[in-house]
Amino acid sequence: MKILPNNLKRQHDIYKDEFNNKAVEVLNSGWYVLGNEVKSFEEEFAKYIGTNYCVGVASGLDALELAFRIIGIENGDEVIVASNAYIACVMGITKNGGVPIFVEPDEYDNIDANKIEEKITSKTKAILTVHLFGQPCDMDKIMGIAKAHNLKVVEDCAQSHGTKWKDQTCGAIGDIGCFSFYPTKGLGAFGDGGAITTNSLEYAEHAKCLRNYGSKVHYEFEEVGMNSRLDELQAGLLRVKLTHLDELNEERNVIANKYNEEINNELITPLKTRPNSYNTWHQYVIHVKDNKRDKLIEYLKENDIGTIIHYPIPPHLSKAYKHLGYKVGDFPIAERYANEVISIPMYNGITKEEQDYVIEKLNSFKG
Ligand SMILES: *Cc1c(COP(=O)(O)O)cnc(C)c1O
């Protein structure tokens, strides 16, 4: 049995006819960028997340870059972010001249809210909460800290479409939520796409202006903007998928619960689930003890089971951020996680037999 780490075709096949019909409808409409599909998607997605506004853009990275620009991050401003975050999170900050201030993750692989305050200086302007792997950060603590220190909160929801902290949906808790619709994401398009969500009319209008070269009125430019537009085809297809997002997330919870219950190997610790949260399981991540991670990947590969490492190099050790001057040992928890984690097969449409096979191989690994 050959099992891929992710299998987008399976999910596609479930709703194939709906996607096909919508694609043909958009192609026949004669209108392909910033039209009714984008407008409707923005309304429907804002409603789903629980914000007043949503603005579609071209990618998750663009959403982050725009968000930090809109809240006013510029040269030398400090933004707090988890040391085990994805590189795009850090790029969203630095593209505006901001400086990432790394805080180590907690036992749930998300920013450790108890270690944020000690990093706050007079230059700190914002906290970026990355709800990694579909699991929310501790938003009560983080919003409390932000309020006490007058900081903005940007949520990176690229892996958490529908994730909840208590009864609030991620993307509606901070000042701005940033989403990616890259095909592998919980709400994935058929190409690139992204969005921001916010309750601020001012932020939403600014984002709309910036995504279109800095223009509100045709051919009048108020500032130097970007070209970052969600296209009609992606928006139309995302509208179709959005109607199924809750059932897709529920299915992922069923898959994750089976892994939680049946993985039984003392070398393997599945990611702990945070209380008070609804996880959407963007990835199913396990931590492997005793430096056995690479051996396990090899063992699974020999048995035709694909895996991915999210992520092998933490941002502070990335070549792209060499100029920040960090070295090995500066963020030991993030560095340890980078050597321990594996994302095992997790996708909508995985069969019981496939999952049983993965579990059997994980449980028979001896190290
Ligand atoms: C995917 C991802 C992004 C970037 O999204 P793109 O659409 O690929 O630009 C940002 N942050 C996180 C946490 C992601 O997983």
Side-chain angles (χ1 to χ4, degrees), residues 59-61 64 86 88-89 130 156 158-159 180 182 185 192-193 311:
S59 73
L61 176 58
L64 287 160
Y86 182 47
C89 315
V130 185
D156 182 333
Q159 303 190 2
S180 165
Y182 183 75
K185 310 288 181 172
D192 279 304
Y311 299 95

Side-chain angles (χ1 to χ4, degrees), residues 36-51:
N36 287 332
E37 294 292 340
V38 170
K39 193 166 170 286
S40 299
F41 173 72
E42 288 172 342
E43 285 166 13
E44 289 157 11
F45 195 61
K47 186 157 181 260
Y48 180 87
I49 297 299
T51 52

